Amino acid sequence: MKTLTTTPLAAGLTGTALTAFAPMVWGTTYVVTTELLPPGHPLFAGLMRALPAGLIALAITRTLPRGTWWLKAAALGVLNIGMFFPLLFVAAERLPGGVAATLGAAQPLLVAILAVAVLRQSPSAWRFAWGIVGIVGVGLVVIGPAAGFDLVGVVAGIGGAGTMALGVTLTKRWGRPADVGPTAFASWQLTAGGLFLVPVTFLFEGAPPAIDLNAAVGYLWLGLIGGLLAYVLWFRGITSLPVTSVAVLGLLSPMVAAVLGAVLLGQSLGPIQLAGFALALASIVAGQITPKSKRDGGVR
């Protein structure tokens, strides 16, 4: 009987495609936040996205951290979830979606910098250059002439990109315990991030808002699809693919947001936006390529 095998190239493409699903789903956050969720409760939105999904995954896997992984999981959960979610929602509420998305697009560039400082990788002009191209591309796609720059929103957008970049880099450095699957790994971080958000949410926002049918649908989407499923695939990708290649996939999020804005909200995509799409796509593709000199040196 002939045994079917998967080539390394096919396996790599499959892993990249599955990982890319996460930022594509996150691209729906802007539409869901503005069209379905009650305004003025970004912390509660982050809490609802993280904690229920984390507890469900924890109940399914029945796997708890051991030893130093209690502290590591808590740190990653706070960076990737607990701090990132509220900053994301604050930026989404206080800035036009395009401005918030462009600030978030700085994440691949920050990861490239952190890869040098934290992972001891050699500086890569290739990564830095394409990281800048990606920011420019996303900016052309989503920033319109009427874009506003609320200071709190800008700080939240930059802070969100920074915390996520550090979380991604540390996730790559620490890896994942050999006997722990991606679902359990995601459950630790979603639960830790959600628990971090509980006191913060009630301290700054007080009682939860009224939840109507639209809000319930929005929270379910963000929690189960944008939270649980997306983060399982995202953390799986971080531990199996080069960290800079994973980070640049995050550019798909604002691009999906722009497409949804055009399809659902009647926003236009002109020649400038299309040129931005081309630049962002080129940056994503380039981010999956390791230049020959780097491959020969064994650094990714």
Side-chain angles (χ1 to χ4, degrees):
M1 179 182 295
K2 181 182 293 185
T3 301
L4 297 177
T5 59
T6 302
T7 65
L9 177 60
L13 291 175
T14 300
T16 299
L18 289 173
T19 306
F21 178 80
M24 291 178 70
V25 169
W26 296 335
T28 66
T29 299
Y30 303 106
V31 169
V32 171
T33 298
T34 57
E35 301 301 313
L36 296 179
L37 302 188
H41 292 82
L43 293 176
F44 183 74
L47 173 62
M48 291 297 290
R49 185 176 180 178
L51 189 56
L55 292 175
I56 290 171
L58 204 59
I60 293 173
T61 61
R62 299 183 181 181
T63 303
L64 294 175
R66 295 190 297 271
T68 59
W69 269 104
W70 282 100
L71 292 176
K72 290 179 179 180
L76 294 177
V78 169
L79 288 171
N80 288 321
I81 310 295
M83 294 179 66
F84 175 67
F85 277 8
L87 290 171
L88 172 69
F89 284 106
V90 168
E93 283 201 344
R94 299 186 68 104
L95 295 172
V99 178
T102 304
L103 293 173
Q107 185 198 131
L109 189 60
L110 295 175
V111 168
I113 295 172
L114 289 171
V116 176
V118 178
L119 303 180
R120 299 292 186 263
Q121 294 185 2
S122 299
S124 172
W126 176 273
R127 303 295 186 196
F128 290 123
W130 283 108
I132 294 173
V133 170
I135 295 174
V136 173
V138 169
L140 291 176
V141 171
V142 295
I143 292 184
F149 290 88
D150 175 84
L151 179 59
V152 174
V154 170
V155 171
I158 295 174
T163 56
M164 186 67 165
L166 181 57
V168 166
T169 307
L170 289 178
T171 301
K172 185 64 176 181
R173 177 172 181 173
W174 291 337
R176 189 178 76 225
D179 58 342
V180 173
T183 303
F185 192 55
S187 76
W188 298 351
Q189 297 190 49
L190 286 165
T191 302
L195 291 175
F196 171 84
L197 282 171
V198 170
V200 176
T201 298
F202 287 98
L203 177 64
F204 287 97
E205 293 185 356
I211 299 177
D212 58 15
L213 179 59
N214 285 342
V217 171
Y219 287 131
L220 283 173
W221 173 263
L222 292 177
L224 296 181
I225 307 301
L228 179 56
L229 178 59
Y231 272 96
V232 168
L233 296 174
W234 183 247
F235 292 133
R236 177 185 178 275
I238 292 174
T239 55
S240 61
L241 299 171
V243 65
T244 49
S245 298
V246 173
V248 78
L249 293 175
L251 298 179
L252 289 168
S253 180
M255 295 173 68
V256 169
V259 171
L260 290 177
V263 174
L264 301 179
L265 304 180
Q267 299 170 356
S268 61
L269 293 176
I272 293 178
Q273 286 74 29
L274 295 177
F277 262 103
L279 288 176
L281 284 173
S283 179
I284 292 170
V285 173
Q288 310 312 308
I289 300 172
T290 303
K292 187 176 187 301
S293 60
K294 292 294 182 183
R295 292 198 301 266
D296 294 342
V299 179
R300 294 199 299 173

